[in-house]
Structure formats: structure tokens, C-alpha cells
Amino acid sequence: MRLPGADLDDLLTTEIINGRTLADLLTLEFVISVFGSVLAAILILVAGFIIGGWLRGRLIRVGQMNRHLDATLFSFLGNIIRYVVIGFAFLFVLNTFGVQTTSFVAVIGAAGLAIGLALQGTLSNIAAGVMIVFFRPVKLGDFVEVNGQMGTVKEINLNFIELASVANVQIIIPNSQVWGNTIVNYSAYDSRRAEWVFGVGYGADLKLAEETIRTTILSDPRSRTEPEPFIQVNNLGDFSVDFLVRVWCSSADFFQYQADMKRQVKEALDAAGVEIPFPTRKVLNTAE
């Protein structure tokens, strides 16, 4: 016959973890040690988040303080530093509770491989995003054409870039389609060459027409005289003598400048009495 309390004694002497019995775990010393470990873990995590956030902020401010540095690159590096610091903080927490981090890292590596195989498309976007951030073929504010889409770059992150079209429509392009395609960056250089073809009639005074075109275009302050403008007869068409005009201007003025000159040159040629031809067709009456 078992004595009262024998079951309780057996329970208290039962081994629970690492050779410790329940009685050992219920001691004040053990409770204090567990409380200390939990408190240390909380302090380590808080310190990791604070230090990581501080380092990220410092890097971002460095990129913002110097206009020659790319703020997007420093923002990306800041995020990487923050995640690395927080990752180390979690490893320290695991060490605090006696977890063998070596095996834990191996498990994370295996899990990462499985996740990587399942998320190949996403990882390809991230890899392309890293290349875009480091090599900077496009930057915030650039006017670009990518994968058949044209617009102003509004955001660059590790998964996609965001464009705002000319009509202010949001366009999202995955990074793998940006890095793997031709990128046309209209904002990469400070100046661009505008080009027009102006046709005049075969009976027109070509010297007068050339001077009128030259005076009209070069009188605009957006026109640059260096490199020297090119204004010459380039083609004898079916209905007109065509002047090819090439003038350099600021990249920021290009589109409006090109449109304005078409109208101003047409009006100037009309005022000078230079004929601007249009196609004509002679219809023969074969009826008897």
C-alpha cells in the first residue's frame, strides 16, 4: 500500500530536462536564473533593434547629405545593416537560453534552400534589384523607357521599380524584367539633340527658307549654339525639298522645345512667304 504523498514525491523526483527534476525547477534559484535569461533576452533584442535602426538612419543621412551620392543605394545598405544586426541579436538570445546556434544555423540554411527553390521568381527579382541598386542604370526622378513602358522613376526597391507615366498612371515593373531588358534613360545626360525635318516647295527660295528656319530656332533661349546646329537640305522628296535640322538643348526642355519649334518654324515660313507643300494627286478623266 502506497503512503499518502508517495505519488507527489515521485513526481518531484522525475527528471524533466538536462538531468534536472521537477523539484530542482521549482527552486527559487532556478526561477531567478530563468527570469534573468528572459530579461537579458529582452534587453538584447531591444538593443539590437535600436542599434540597427540607428545605423540605418546614419547611412541614409550620409546619402542625403551629399548630392553626389545615391540615396537609394544608402537606403538599401542601411536596411541590410539593420537586418544583420537584428539577426545577430536573435543569435545572442538563443545562446542565452542555451540553444546551440551552430545546428540552428544549419537548419536555417536547409530551410533557406527549400524556400529559395520555391521562390525562384521572387529571388530573381531580388538579385536583379541588388544589381540595379549597385550599378544604378536608373535613379529616382529619371525619365526612362523599360520593357516597352515609359515614365518617371518614382521608387526602386528589391522587388520592382515604380514608374509614373506621362499621364501620371502607376506602372510596376519587376526587377528581373528591368535588368534583363534594354533600358533607355532619357535623363542620363544633361543635354539632348532635337531633330526636325521641314519641307518647302520646289519653287521656294532655299536660302530664305534656311535663314528663316535658323533665325527662328536660334532665337529661342533653349537652343544651344555648341555643338553647332545642323541646318541643311537633306532630301529631295516627291513633293518637297526637305531641310534636316539638328539642335542641342537641355534634356529637361527636350519634349516641349521640340513641339514648340515645329509650330514656330511653320508660322515663320508662312510669314516669310515660303511655300510649304502638301501632297497633290492629279485625277485624269478617261470618260469619252
Side-chain angles (χ1 to χ4, degrees), residues 104-117:
F104 185 75
V105 170
V107 171
I108 292 178
L113 178 60
I115 294 173
L117 293 175

Side-chain angles (χ1 to χ4, degrees), residues 32-244:
I32 292 176
S33 66
V34 171
F35 178 76
S37 298
V38 172
L39 182 60
I42 294 174
L43 292 177
I44 291 172
L45 285 177
V46 171
F49 277 96
I50 292 175
I51 294 173
W54 180 80
L55 290 174
R56 176 181 179 273
R58 290 292 298 175
L59 278 174
I60 291 176
R61 280 193 290 274
V62 168
Q64 293 173 341
M65 288 170 58
N66 193 331
R67 63 184 182 87
H68 297 291
L69 300 178
D70 187 2
T72 305
L73 175 60
F74 279 83
S75 177
F76 169 74
L77 294 176
N79 287 328
I80 293 297
I81 291 295
R82 178 172 178 269
Y83 292 139
V84 169
V85 172
I86 293 174
F88 275 109
F90 273 105
L91 290 178
F92 283 128
V93 168
L94 293 176
N95 275 326
T96 301
F97 288 102
V99 177
Q100 295 297 324
T101 55
T102 303
S103 58
F104 185 75
V105 170
V107 171
I108 292 178
L113 178 60
I115 294 173
L117 293 175
L119 300 176
Q120 292 183 15
T122 301
L123 292 179
S124 67
N125 286 330
I126 294 176
V130 172
M131 301 298 287
I132 292 171
V133 168
F134 275 98
F135 290 98
R136 296 180 295 171
V138 298
K139 299 184 292 296
L140 294 179
D142 285 353
F143 188 78
V144 300
E145 182 178 353
V146 180
N147 200 25
Q149 301 293 334
M150 182 181 293
T152 303
V153 179
K154 292 295 184 180
E155 182 180 354
I156 304 173
N157 59 43
L158 289 182
N159 290 304
F160 61 85
I161 70 169
E162 176 187 342
L163 304 181
S165 71
V166 179
N168 202 32
V169 176
Q170 184 187 56
I171 303 173
I172 303 296
I173 306 177
N175 285 334
S176 59
Q177 297 183 21
V178 177
W179 187 252
N181 283 279
T182 301
I183 301 172
V184 181
N185 192 334
Y186 296 99
S187 304
Y189 305 118
D190 294 332
S191 59
R192 289 185 62 183
R193 189 183 69 184
E195 183 174 308
W196 306 269
V197 175
F198 298 110
V200 299
Y202 273 92
D205 185 335
L206 297 183
K207 183 177 181 179
L208 173 61
E210 180 179 341
E211 288 300 320
T212 301
I213 295 173
R214 183 182 301 274
T215 301
T216 303
I217 290 182
L218 295 186
S219 63
D220 192 289
R222 294 171 293 185
S223 303
R224 295 184 177 179
T225 56
E226 293 293 337
E228 184 178 355
F230 178 91
I231 305 175
Q232 291 184 14
V233 173
N234 182 63
N235 181 53
L236 299 177
D238 294 335
F239 306 100
S240 64
V241 178
D242 298 328
F243 282 89
L244 176 62

